[in-house]
Amino acid sequence: MMKITLRQQILAATFAVVIGILSQLTLPLTLVPLTGQTFAIGLAVTLLGKKNGTYAILIYLLLGLIGVPVFAGMSAGFSVLAGPTGGYLVGFIFNGLLTGAILEKRGFTYTWAIVANLVGAIVTLFFGTIWLKVAADLTWAGAMSGGFIPFILPGVIKAIAAAYLGILIRQRLVRFAVN
């Protein structure tokens, strides 16, 4: 079993809260709202890396599943996960793992952070669109037009912003690191 230090636990819990707060930045569209969640996921993983960033995502999801209203629109519970937007929530886990893996393999640079966050955003949209099709009983065209296509440009913008801000903060925090 992997050992996680108290510092790592605190960082993951702190970013789970950040994800929950940014999730409340919501612009309702159709079945799927435009939220700050994906920005927060990318920021967490860019700052914390694969392991701690994914822990933050898992804590966030667990908080929502046990009833803490951290999901978009101050929602919570298993019904959100089982509903039309649940695939995006599940996709966050794979987003974190893949984004973090790319960053750890290629390096925490602006270029690789943008690439990694773009890949992660597509992974989230992929999971969300498939889930939306099934949960809302939509056609593939309906799922794509309601859960994928309208989120491409906002996803690109949020991925670039998360990458830029994440690397900027990482570089600044190195100055304050204590060995």
Side-chain angles (χ1 to χ4, degrees), residues 37 57-72 74-83 85-87 89-90 93 131:
Q37 284 170 311
I57 295 164
L58 291 170
I59 292 167
Y60 164 73
L61 294 174
L62 182 61
L63 287 170
L65 286 174
I66 64 170
V68 179
V70 294
F71 297 147
M74 295 295 288
S75 61
F78 185 76
S79 62
V80 177
L81 185 63
T85 60
L89 297 171
V90 171
I93 300 166
W131 198 297

Side-chain angles (χ1 to χ4, degrees), residues 21-52:
I21 291 168
L22 291 176
S23 295
Q24 304 319 310
L25 300 176
T26 303
L27 179 62
L29 295 177
T30 56
L31 278 175
V32 182
L34 184 62
T35 72
Q37 284 170 311
T38 49
F39 168 76
I41 297 295
L43 182 63
V45 176
T46 303
L47 278 169
L48 302 180
K50 181 176 81 172
K51 182 173 85 171
N52 294 326

Side-chain angles (χ1 to χ4, degrees), residues 156-177:
V156 167
I157 293 167
K158 289 188 281 184
I160 292 170
Y164 179 78
L165 187 60
I167 296 300
L168 181 69
I169 293 170
R170 273 183 79 91
Q171 291 174 344
R172 299 304 186 262
L173 290 179
V174 168
R175 297 180 191 171
F176 300 104

Side-chain angles (χ1 to χ4, degrees), residues 87-101:
Y88 299 97
L89 297 171
V90 171
F92 291 159
I93 300 166
F94 297 95
N95 176 335
L97 290 170
L98 190 55
T99 300

Side-chain angles (χ1 to χ4, degrees), residues 130-141:
I130 291 172
W131 198 297
L132 179 64
K133 184 216 179 298
V134 173
D137 196 27
L138 299 174
T139 64
W140 281 111

